[in-house]
Amino acid sequence: MAAVTILETKGLSRHFGGLKAVQNVDFEIRQGEIRALIGPNGAGKTTFVSLLSGRIPVSSGTISFMGSDITAKPAFRRVREGIAYTFQITSIYPNLSVYENAALAAQSALQRHRGFLSRIDRKALDADALAALERVGLIERREVIAGNLSYGHQRLLEVAMGLALKPKLLILDEPTQGLSDGEIENFCGLVKEIAKTATVLLIEHNMPVVMQLADRITVLNHGEILTSGTPEEIRADRTVQEAYLGGG
């Protein structure tokens, strides 16, 4: 059975004045895969995923999700349709507790499935929020004010919020930044588990993490796709080595 394409872009571009941050990108990701997006600083990775999530508008090109054109849809509509994006810079609510952060995301997911005018089931909300915190290892810190967490734990809370949204596509932007070696190891196990129920797009500088997790890797350079392939193919690609892996 052929794999289903969950998200596809055609000719996707974003220009900031004369800067071509993303230029004519054709990209697709298949349902259930872990796809890594790598490239040197300034390659356009965060701009690209910001276009996918609706945080910034496209200059030209199209984006389709689950077979529907979402190019003009705002970010909140894309969240409702199943795209969750954890930012490179943490986007938690620092004055709320860890639990309250997860509960807000869980509430959004319940409203999406049951309708925004429906009454929220408190037990379901509580179960979903706590389950997300359990998955990332923050259940014991659920009463802590989020702004008092370490940076690494704030990143994990952001992942929990993404999970509480019950996404079809989870975009993780530099998720291991600020994590200890032990936390990174646990995170890799978490991503493999997430991929059983959701598609994952991973933007990551930690190459051992990328090579361990990714089914396929796409390399972005100067706003354009340089190449895509399996971890083995990317590791052996001389062009990639010169542009990125070799420090060029």
Side-chain angles (χ1 to χ4, degrees), residues 61-73:
T62 60
I63 307 168
S64 63
F65 181 65
M66 302 296 291
S68 298
D69 189 331
I70 63 168
T71 310
K73 290 186 178 181

Side-chain angles (χ1 to χ4, degrees), residues 150-156 159 174-188 204 206:
S150 68
Y151 181 75
H153 285 146
Q154 288 183 20
R155 299 311 308 273
L156 290 175
V159 173
E174 301 290 352
T176 66
Q177 188 175 27
L179 300 185
S180 67
D181 290 343
E183 288 170 336
I184 289 174
E185 183 177 349
N186 290 336
F187 173 79
C188 289
E204 181 59 65
N206 187 321

